[in-house]
């Protein structure tokens, strides 16, 4: 899956390396200047306590790993230049939604809500991992 492409524009963020809890290093672009001029998306994101309280009488609980969920969402052509970053090998821009943008979580949540709309009342979404529960009276073959 292609995630980045060469960029040439007037906007670019520097790259920073962030230490993860397990001691490995995460590659990130420092988008703080972009965040300053980005209008916050008002789309609500599920609250963890609502998700924890919601399973009720569910018999099945499971999780979906969304580690590369952001990369499933393409960046629109008109916005690609805003995702540009610079590193030792030049300037690059994202073809897929990068993690860490101000509205990335809301965009992914909206995408998951749309994707799972047919079972909206049978599942509960929470981003970090996507948790869902099936109602006890639901027919899995519907």
């Amino acid at each position: 899956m292609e995630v980045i492409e060469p960029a040439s524009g007037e906007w670019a963020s520097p790259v920073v390396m962030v230490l993860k809890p397990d001691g490995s290093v995460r590659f990130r672009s420092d988008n703080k200047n972009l965040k300053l001029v980005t209008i916050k998306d008002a789309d609500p994101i599920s609250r963890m306590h609502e998700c924890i309280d919601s399973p009720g009488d569910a018999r099945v609980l499971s999780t979906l790993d969304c580690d590369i969920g952001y990369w499933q969402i393409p960046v629109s052509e008109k916005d690609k230049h805003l995702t540009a970053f610079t590193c030792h090998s030049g300037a690059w821009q994202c073809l897929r939604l990068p993690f860490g943008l101000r509205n990335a979580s809301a965009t992914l949540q909206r995408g998951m809500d749309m994707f799972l709309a047919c079972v909206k009342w049978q599942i509960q979404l929470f981003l970090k991992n996507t948790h869902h529960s099936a109602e006890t009276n639901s027919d899995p073959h519907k």
Side-chain angles (χ1 to χ4, degrees):
M1 173 186 305
E2 291 186 18
V3 181
I4 61 173
E5 67 183 7
S8 61
E10 48 194 62
W11 191 278
S13 298
V15 168
V16 294
M17 303 308 266
V18 179
L19 192 61
K20 295 184 346 185
D22 67 2
S24 62
V25 178
R26 175 180 291 133
F27 175 94
R28 282 193 70 178
S29 59
D30 183 1
N31 298 310
K32 65 182 167 198
N33 290 331
L34 179 58
K35 287 180 182 181
L36 292 173
V37 297
T38 302
I39 298 170
K40 188 166 169 66
D41 190 334
D43 197 46
I45 295 177
S46 300
R47 294 184 170 96
M48 185 183 288
H49 72 275
E50 292 172 355
C51 296
I52 291 171
D53 293 342
S54 68
D57 295 332
R59 292 185 184 166
V60 177
L61 297 174
S62 65
T63 62
L64 300 172
D65 186 349
C66 286
D67 278 350
I68 61 168
Y70 291 88
W71 288 0
Q72 305 307 311
I73 301 172
V75 175
S76 72
E77 195 63 42
K78 68 179 182 62
D79 293 328
K80 286 181 184 177
H81 73 282
L82 298 172
T83 67
F85 60 91
T86 57
C87 63
H88 69 283
S89 63
W92 302 88
Q93 64 188 17
C94 297
L95 300 171
R96 302 289 177 170
L97 183 64
F99 179 78
L101 295 180
R102 171 171 231 147
N103 293 321
S105 294
T107 301
L108 179 59
Q109 178 76 54
R110 186 180 296 109
M112 293 296 292
D113 287 343
M114 290 168 46
F115 178 72
L116 298 169
C118 62
V119 291
K120 183 73 172 170
W121 295 107
Q122 297 175 13
I123 63 169
Q124 177 66 44
L125 299 175
F126 173 72
L127 283 178
K128 172 75 171 130
N129 288 317
T130 303
H131 299 279
H132 61 93
S133 60
E135 300 294 333
T136 55
N137 61 354
S138 66
D139 181 354
H141 302 291
K142 285 187 178 179

